[in-house]
Amino acid sequence: ELLSLTVLGLCTASIFALAASGLVLTYTTTGIFNFAHGAIGMLGAFAYWQLQYDWGWPTPVALLVVLGGLAPALGLAIERGIMRHLTDAPETVRIVVTISLLVALLGIGFWAWPATEPHPTTQLFGGESVTLFDVGVTWHRISGVVVAVAVALGLRLLLFRTQAGLDMRAAVDSRPLALLHGARPDRSAALAWAIGCSLAALAGILIAPVTSLSHINLTLLIVNAYAAAMIGRLRSLPMTFVGAVILGLADSYAIGYIPSDNSYFSSFRFAIPAVLLFVVLLALPNPQLATRSGTASREDIARPSWTTALATAAGIVGATLVLASVLSDADALRAAKIFGLALIALSLVPLTGFGGQVSLCQMSFAAIGAMVMAHHGSAGEPVALLYAALICGAVGALIALPALRLSGIYLALSTAAFAVFLDRWVFNLPAFDLGPWTIRMFDLGIIAVQPLDLPGIDGADRPTHLVVLSVVFAMMYLLVVAVRRSGFGDRLLAMKDSPAACATLGLDVTRLKLAVFALSAAMAGVGGALYAGTQGSVSPERFALFESLPLLLLSVVGGIGSAAGALFAGLILGGLPIAIGIWPFLTNLNRLLPGTMGIALGRNPNGAVRDIAERYSVLKEVPVALLGLLVTAGILAGLALAGSLTGWGLTYGGLAAMVVWPLLAEVLAARRAPTSPSESGLEWAEVDRPLRPEELHAVDAALGLEPADA
């Protein structure tokens, strides 16, 4: 049995090695860690299924089209359209953009090949097998080993024996110097991405018949590739293959030796890659503290005054009061989910917005908060929120301890590993005793959570519950403002800007990271408890890793440095299902929108909400338009309170007012713009063309000079 498991484990390792080698290739030649590598493999596997199984193409032709045409073309498109613009981008931007690409590609996969439809596959060579060392092995598995060896030799020759490989490695070390020596980094990067995507697709095609053709499972294949690549420290292909062998054998031995009837360990096999990834990350040498780069982000984290903050909080609660008065119970319940998600997203503001620490496990902390609320606040007792904050804060600090020395992609990978570890194993455990305490998770895969019940307030009334959530959000927003205005917030921003400078000035960066992780986890736990109350009952899938990713992306897109980004994320994630209920054709938009919006992050470092606010600032220049908007809002609110205007009539009216009045203000402001030198003075004169005589006279007059002779 040991020999059989070893042979099968080595065959599985070859597939992991193919995926990891493509990941290492793109990183060593472009400097960008591709979080979307697994999603690319998933699309390649489904494209092969479409050609070979659904359309009946011959297997060699289908393989050639996918591996020699579609996958390289996708790699070239990604490099040309996205990655080429990230050459000088900060590492945080690179991380978020590649995660956005993962979410977008996963959405495309669900759109093109719905998960509700079967996608059966069979092994290559008809599943025929051969006996090796008294172990039956299919030719499909043997082909994986042969291809992996060939790829290893081919990549070694490419990187160290060809001019293209030399150009690839030189561009990462010093792009300007490589250009001076005649290298073409853009062409080298395009070649690396084309090969990397082909290897990802090949790994997906080979592993799909062994496991299943599943969107999530194939995308999570990247966790195995992450761990193998990290064993090779993202540089060494031989060590990457060693890491793949370790993972393949661990997976095979887990299948053979972990009892399937043991409810505590039967699902541990699926968490092994995450555990190994976390261990490998901790074993890496301590990285140097980052310094401020010459390509620092243009991000501006505002420091709001208390007057502005209190007015904003009051505005949020006031608007919710008006909305709650006109919404039905069903609509109020849907709107409450927006605030629930916004509360979880708000926990990212001090951690990522102020501190620059990327976390991919916020929904995991939210899941812990939901479990605490379910088991210790069965009737919606407020004290359960305190328990959720304390327990999640402690777990956040515990997780942060081993991850304190990590940053950038390593920190993102460690938090992703923690999320997968909880998703795949811990959340599925039955109840167990830990000393005098009984620890309970998601009983029978689902738990019931009651909404918050405050004394004197009817929590069962949905509109009232909506208002309560808005008040909680406003209070947590004020907490974030207090953090931003404090010395703690200043230290977080300094750490984000340059950890090396902070250490030089004597700031304790380790303690700072620990504190902000604990605070963020506590906030996420409270948000998760309240969000679960809006659902009534929740399962672990509601808080999986792939639920954390859109939350982070939309928070960054909206503006991670303020509560506006969190509210933006809640509106998109919570509002789109409402729109889908009315217009079902928008179903796939819910999967694509977060990813496509996140890809544009590099061009918009301060968030979409800041851009929208700047767009509305023109109303200050045109008081008539501002007054018109306020009057229109008052009329709509009055009609809503009177019951004359409800539902989508009120929605369309509000949206029309928000669009029409700013546009009218822009038109009026443009008409008032100066059209001649006498109206505008010196500032009006352009300097990118020769000045006209009248403009020269205007300049002379403004400077007090004698008029120039003709």
Side-chain angles (χ1 to χ4, degrees), residues 31 96 112 139 189 319 362 452 477 485 512 527 546 579 592 626 635 666:
V96 174
W139 282 107
Q362 292 306 105
L452 184 64
Y477 160 68
R485 292 178 56 84
L512 200 58
F546 291 110
L592 290 178
L626 178 60
I635 293 174
E666 289 183 359

Side-chain angles (χ1 to χ4, degrees), residues 112 199 221 235 265 301 452 456 514 560 571 628 651 653 691 703 705:
L199 291 176
L221 168 66
R235 295 288 181 183
F265 290 99
I301 306 298
L452 184 64
L514 184 64
I560 194 62
L571 284 170
T651 303
L691 299 181
L703 297 176
L705 302 175

Side-chain angles (χ1 to χ4, degrees), residues 443-508:
D443 297 335
L444 302 178
I446 192 170
I447 52 175
V449 185
Q450 297 299 319
L452 184 64
D453 186 16
L454 297 174
I457 298 177
D458 185 7
D461 182 67
R462 295 302 183 184
T464 302
H465 184 225
L466 173 62
V467 176
V468 170
L469 288 184
S470 72
V471 172
V472 176
F473 181 84
M475 294 173 63
M476 290 186 67
Y477 160 68
L478 294 177
L479 172 63
V480 170
V481 171
V483 171
R484 173 63 185 89
R485 292 178 56 84
S486 66
F488 177 59
D490 292 336
R491 291 192 293 274
L492 288 175
L493 290 172
M495 179 181 68
K496 179 181 182 179
D497 189 64
S498 177
C502 289
T504 303
L505 294 174
L507 295 180
D508 191 342

Side-chain angles (χ1 to χ4, degrees), residues 43-410:
L43 284 184
F46 272 101
Y48 172 74
W49 176 89
Q50 185 70 44
L51 298 178
Q52 207 270 329
Y53 293 94
D54 196 43
W55 293 351
W57 289 22
T59 299
V61 176
L63 287 172
L64 180 63
V65 170
V66 173
L67 301 180
L70 297 180
L74 177 61
L76 293 174
I78 292 173
E79 193 280 330
R80 185 64 181 270
I82 302 173
M83 301 307 167
R84 186 170 296 185
H85 305 289
L86 301 179
T87 302
D88 297 325
E91 188 174 36
T92 303
V93 172
R94 297 184 184 189
I95 292 172
V96 174
V97 170
T98 54
I99 291 175
S100 303
L101 181 62
L102 183 157
V103 175
L105 294 179
L106 187 60
I108 292 174
F110 277 113
W111 190 342
W113 299 279
T116 55
E117 299 177 1
H119 302 96
T121 58
T122 58
Q123 297 188 19
L124 299 176
F125 306 103
E128 296 181 3
S129 62
V130 64
T131 301
L132 294 176
F133 306 108
D134 295 329
V135 178
V137 185
T138 63
W139 282 107
H140 178 95
R141 293 180 179 270
I142 294 175
S143 65
V145 176
V146 174
V147 170
V149 173
V151 166
L153 295 175
L155 290 179
R156 179 72 182 183
L157 293 174
L158 171 66
L159 292 175
F160 294 94
R161 293 291 185 269
T162 66
Q163 185 62 42
L166 180 62
D167 292 346
M168 287 178 182
R169 294 184 290 117
V172 174
D173 292 336
S174 176
R175 188 181 181 89
L177 188 59
L179 286 169
L180 288 176
H181 283 270
R184 304 183 66 176
D186 289 340
R187 177 177 293 182
S188 300
L191 177 61
W193 276 94
I195 297 175
C197 288
S198 292
L199 291 176
L202 178 58
I205 292 171
L206 290 175
I207 204 170
V210 178
T211 56
S212 63
L213 191 55
S214 165
H215 304 80
I216 299 298
N217 290 340
L218 288 178
T219 303
L220 280 177
L221 168 66
I222 196 59
V223 177
N224 299 284
Y226 289 161
M230 281 300 164
I231 291 176
R233 297 186 61 184
L234 295 175
R235 295 288 181 183
S236 171
L237 284 173
M239 287 304 298
T240 298
F241 275 69
V242 171
V245 169
I246 295 173
L247 284 165
L249 293 177
D251 181 75
S252 183
Y253 293 156
I255 295 175
Y257 295 119
I258 293 180
S260 59
D261 57 348
N262 188 315
S263 57
Y264 290 97
F265 290 99
S266 59
S267 59
F268 180 72
R269 169 204 168 197
F270 304 108
I272 289 177
V275 175
L276 289 177
L277 174 59
F278 199 79
V279 171
V280 170
L281 287 170
L282 296 183
L284 289 176
N286 284 326
Q288 294 182 348
L289 289 175
T291 58
R292 182 179 175 87
S293 66
T295 56
S297 174
R298 305 182 306 275
E299 188 179 20
D300 176 30
I301 306 298
R303 188 176 188 268
S305 65
W306 278 117
T307 302
T308 302
L310 292 172
T312 302
I316 292 173
V317 176
T320 307
L321 277 170
V322 174
L323 189 65
S325 65
V326 299
L327 290 179
S328 64
D329 285 352
D331 290 335
L333 177 61
R334 297 188 186 100
K337 296 176 183 177
I338 295 175
F339 276 114
L341 290 168
L343 282 167
I344 303 173
L346 192 62
S347 68
L348 287 165
V349 175
L351 181 65
T352 306
F354 300 164
Q357 308 299 305
V358 178
S359 171
L360 305 182
C361 63
Q362 292 306 105
M363 290 300 282
S364 300
F365 295 129
I368 297 173
M371 289 188 295
V372 172
M373 191 70 182
H375 301 312
H376 299 281
S378 56
E381 293 90 349
V383 70
L385 293 182
L386 177 61
Y387 295 154
L390 293 175
I391 293 175
C392 289
V395 174
L398 184 64
I399 296 303
L401 280 174
L404 286 176
R405 50 188 292 276
L406 304 175
S407 61
I409 60 172
Y410 302 107

